[in-house]
Amino acid sequence: MGWVYLLIAGVLECLWAIGLKYSDGFTRFWPSVVTAVLIVVSLGLLSLAMRTIPVGTAYAVWSGIGASALAVVGILFMQEPGGLVRIGCIGMIVMGVVGLKLFGDTAV
């Protein structure tokens, strides 16, 4: 169940980061409220995930989900640059997250 919590927390992290943009520095009331709620729920789910997933793995996966997904959203919907090198770097983040999931419990 920890991985489910972590996945949902990562998705919510993406949403609250987008909410930060629309809250305009917390000067717009409803976007600020929604963003604050998403932050609290995301961090709450992250903490639940950390009951069964090591803290380093959980945090790396959580932030990796947010970083890679938001970079893709930025490229697709916010006119951010999407060159080959940038897309390759996003791919490396995704590979790192997948690697932590697949091999996080093994010692080399």
Side-chain angles (χ1 to χ4, degrees):
M1 199 61 190
W3 286 100
V4 173
Y5 291 145
L6 189 56
L7 177 64
I8 296 168
V11 170
L12 293 178
E13 180 197 9
C14 298
L15 295 176
W16 67 251
I18 293 168
L20 283 175
K21 178 177 177 55
Y22 290 102
S23 73
D24 199 26
F26 292 108
T27 60
R28 298 180 61 214
F29 182 73
W30 286 113
S32 297
V33 169
V34 170
T35 300
V37 169
L38 290 170
I39 289 169
V40 169
V41 174
S42 178
L43 290 175
L45 289 171
L46 175 62
S47 71
L48 289 176
M50 287 182 183
R51 288 179 175 174
T52 57
I53 301 170
V55 66
T57 301
Y59 187 77
V61 170
W62 179 76
S63 61
I65 290 170
S68 58
L70 282 171
V72 170
V73 167
I75 291 167
L76 294 177
F77 301 108
M78 298 178 175
Q79 293 76 45
E80 294 181 5
L84 208 51
V85 172
R86 185 165 186 198
I87 292 169
C89 291
I90 294 168
M92 287 189 284
I93 293 170
V94 171
M95 289 181 356
V97 167
V98 170
L100 285 170
K101 168 63 173 126
L102 295 176
F103 307 110
D105 295 332
T106 62
V108 177

